[in-house]
Amino acid sequence: MRKAAGRAVAIGASAVQIFTDNPTSWRRRPSLPEELAQFRQQLAAADIGPIAVHAPYLINLAGPERTFHDQSVAVLANELRVARAYGAAFVNVHIGSHRGAGVEAGVRRLTAGLVDVLERAWDSQPTGTDVVVVLENGSGGGFGLGASIEELVTIEGAIRDAGVPEARFGYCLDAAHLWGAGYAIDTAAGVDEVLADFDAAIGLGRLRMVHLNDSRSELGSRADRHEHVGGGRIGADGLARFLVHPGLGHVMYVLETPGMDEGYDAINLARATALAAGEPLAELPPEAFRLRSSRGRSAPPDPHGAKR
């Protein structure tokens, strides 16, 4: 944790996304880490924020399996409680998969699960209702929900109809997931079209985060393989438009690009900053494309001049 804070400071990040525990395990640590206060102090001293917590990958509120669903509810409720202790503004979670049960059934399960999560979090920590659940769009693979704007609209309506206040949940658009789902965002015009559709259907004000990931996958492949900024099939033009779009001045940008352990978090952050400034990108070395995708913990400095 202190390493993550120190790295965020070192590379010049203005916001961070973290895991509070192992993202591939149901088991959560029974108490808060001893270094939490130092983590928060270090980020505050560098004026780094907001903080987002990425929920464990195992969580699937939309699935039909009862035991799996119950585990998902319990773990996500725990992440909300822990997130407040971290000073986090958001808990980002994948919308999940209906596992073949159908979109309608999946949306019902997702909605019921989210209501349950929020009730548990509020009951145990009523002063912690400032942490927002951020639902992340999917690429559409494996019966995944929320890969299209139309499905996001259905999800929005179902959750609102269940009585969940608008302030309690929002959305994250992952660029690589949009691309995998078939949205041609490799040009500024393509990005503008997608964001205009989202704005008309849901509202850009409901968008809290953007995962600024390039993609190794083919357009519409429903695959999710992240690539370095400007080094994939989306490319510089599309990603740059996300950074400078006039309707996104309020969102938090996060990088989930390959090679964090090899120092590519700093490189990708610098590349995102260059795109926001309208500068051309240098070519990446061949070895950069042999790195496996990782889930990033850094966000670019604000290209709009307003704190993310």
Side-chain angles (χ1 to χ4, degrees):
M1 180 186 301
R2 283 177 292 181
K3 180 181 177 181
R7 186 62 180 164
V9 173
I11 68 175
S14 64
V16 292
Q17 176 179 276
I18 62 168
F19 295 109
T20 65
D21 208 334
N22 185 345
T24 61
S25 173
W26 290 116
R27 180 176 296 178
R28 317 315 288 162
R29 55 168 55 100
S31 58
L32 295 171
E34 294 181 359
E35 65 268 29
L36 177 56
Q38 293 174 295
F39 169 81
R40 294 189 61 173
Q41 290 167 4
Q42 194 168 2
L43 293 181
D47 195 25
I48 295 175
I51 300 168
V53 167
H54 197 302
Y57 298 130
L58 295 176
I59 290 174
N60 182 17
L61 297 179
E65 300 90 349
R66 180 61 182 270
T67 299
F68 204 93
H69 181 84
D70 290 348
Q71 286 179 304
S72 297
V73 167
V75 170
L76 186 54
N78 178 74
E79 290 299 299
L80 280 174
R81 293 190 293 268
V82 172
R84 186 168 188 270
Y86 275 72
F90 310 121
V91 171
N92 181 74
V93 63
H94 293 172
I95 289 174
S97 167
H98 61 71
R99 305 286 291 175
V103 172
E104 184 178 348
V107 172
R108 282 200 307 269
R109 294 288 284 173
L110 169 68
T111 301
L114 183 59
V115 169
D116 196 358
V117 165
L118 293 174
E119 287 179 348
R120 294 191 193 193
W122 283 338
D123 288 346
S124 63
Q125 197 168 8
T127 59
T129 57
D130 51 327
V131 180
V132 177
V133 177
V134 178
L135 303 172
E136 182 178 342
N137 68 307
S139 60
F143 300 111
L145 284 176
S148 69
I149 293 174
E150 290 77 15
E151 284 188 4
L152 293 178
V153 170
T154 300
I155 290 166
E156 169 82 1
I159 295 173
R160 295 281 291 276
D161 288 347
V164 177
E166 181 180 293
R168 299 304 319 123
F169 74 105
Y171 297 92
C172 169
L173 289 181
D174 184 299
H177 296 176
L178 284 170
W179 181 258
Y183 289 96
I185 53 171
D186 53 335
T187 64
V191 172
D192 285 351
E193 182 178 353
V194 169
L195 293 179
D197 289 348
F198 186 94
D199 192 28
I202 298 175
L204 286 178
R206 304 285 293 121
L207 186 61
R208 301 302 188 100
M209 298 172 63
V210 167
H211 284 171
L212 195 77
N213 306 315
D214 214 322
S215 177
R216 302 182 186 189
S217 304
E218 296 284 350
L219 176 64
S221 64
R222 298 188 177 272
D224 175 19
R225 298 174 67 227
H226 295 186
E227 187 55 277
H228 299 291
V229 171
R233 298 183 183 276
I234 298 172
D237 291 346
L239 295 179
R241 186 56 179 165
F242 275 106
L243 285 165
V244 301
H245 190 283
L248 300 185
H250 63 288
V251 306
M252 173 185 178
Y253 294 97
V254 174
L255 301 173
E256 294 179 336
T257 44
M260 178 179 296
D261 293 338
E262 293 81 12
Y264 277 88
D265 53 351
I267 292 170
N268 279 295
L269 181 57
R271 291 171 71 83
T273 303
L275 288 182
E279 299 170 359
L281 297 181
E283 285 193 27
L284 289 160
E287 57 267 21
F289 299 101
R290 293 193 287 268
L291 297 168
R292 297 181 65 186
S293 183
S294 60
R295 300 302 181 184
R297 298 183 180 87
S298 61
D302 178 13
H304 294 281
K307 192 63 182 177
R308 300 291 170 177

